Amino acid sequence: MYDIFKNKIIIVTGSTGFKGSWLCFWLKKLGAKVVGISEKIPTTPSNYETISNRLDITDLRLNISDKASVCEAVNEHQPDFVFHLAAQALVSHSYEYPLKTFETNALGSVNVLEVLRTLKKLCTHPQGVLSQKRHSIKHMLRVKLLLFHSIWTAL
């Protein structure tokens, strides 16, 4: 059942967060080639720091709000799957830095989806397959609803 990830290139955004680090760990156990994207390690103590010596992943430090950096990473690694977990999730930080939170959570998500949309190969995303091909109206509405939900979740 989980052979679908074996020998596949998988990008995980938010790889240094609690859920992202565990996802990277399990994907490696399932035989995937994992590329982690994260701006920094968000907390101390950190699950990522605890297990990073066992992860053996390609660890990229970049901000998903920087579309050019996301584009470069995706085009270089040509992923088969993308798990987009990157977000600024700390409530206290969002009160202190609302613009940065919005840029990361909303515009960062748009950047990831836009880069995947222009990828020269099919790539599976939790919302379906994104490629250069024309998408059905139903699929595009699903993606737009996802973005709408992401933007309002960020507020």
Side-chain angles (χ1 to χ4, degrees):
M1 175 178 172
Y2 297 108
D3 287 342
I4 189 170
F5 298 120
K6 190 172 181 103
N7 297 317
K8 298 294 183 184
I9 299 168
I10 301 174
I11 288 180
V12 176
T13 68
S15 57
T16 59
F18 183 76
K19 292 176 185 176
S21 57
W22 275 115
L23 178 59
C24 291
F25 179 81
W26 281 108
L27 289 170
K28 284 301 290 181
K29 288 283 187 192
L30 295 172
K33 298 169 185 164
V34 179
V35 178
I37 294 178
S38 201
E39 185 177 23
K40 60 186 175 190
I41 298 172
T43 60
T44 302
S46 163
N47 186 61
Y48 178 81
E49 287 181 326
T50 303
I51 66 172
S52 62
N53 63 334
R54 294 179 274 167
L55 282 180
D56 188 32
I57 67 170
T58 301
D59 185 23
L60 303 178
R61 295 304 164 99
L62 58 99
N63 186 329
I64 62 167
S65 298
D66 179 0
K67 184 179 172 190
S69 296
V70 175
C71 188
E72 183 180 331
V74 168
N75 286 323
E76 178 183 340
H77 294 283
Q78 295 288 307
D80 299 296
F81 296 91
V82 172
F83 290 89
H84 175 47
L85 281 65
Q88 192 304 103
L90 302 173
V91 175
S92 60
H93 190 81
S94 72
Y95 291 145
E96 203 170 331
Y97 305 100
L99 181 59
K100 173 88 169 127
T101 299
F102 188 82
E103 286 174 349
T104 300
N105 295 0
L107 298 178
S109 294
V110 170
N111 286 342
V112 170
L113 289 171
E114 179 62 15
V115 168
L116 291 177
R117 187 182 67 80
T118 61
L119 190 62
K120 301 285 188 244
K121 72 182 240 185
L122 292 178
C123 178
T124 304
H125 178 275
Q127 293 300 312
V129 176
L130 301 172
S131 73
Q132 269 193 315
K133 296 180 182 178
R134 288 190 171 265
H135 302 296
S136 70
I137 297 294
K138 184 178 176 184
H139 176 78
M140 290 309 290
L141 285 174
R142 225 181 359 202
V143 170
K144 287 181 182 179
L145 286 173
L146 168 73
L147 292 175
F148 182 77
H149 175 72
S150 296
I151 289 169
W152 286 106
T153 305
L155 296 178

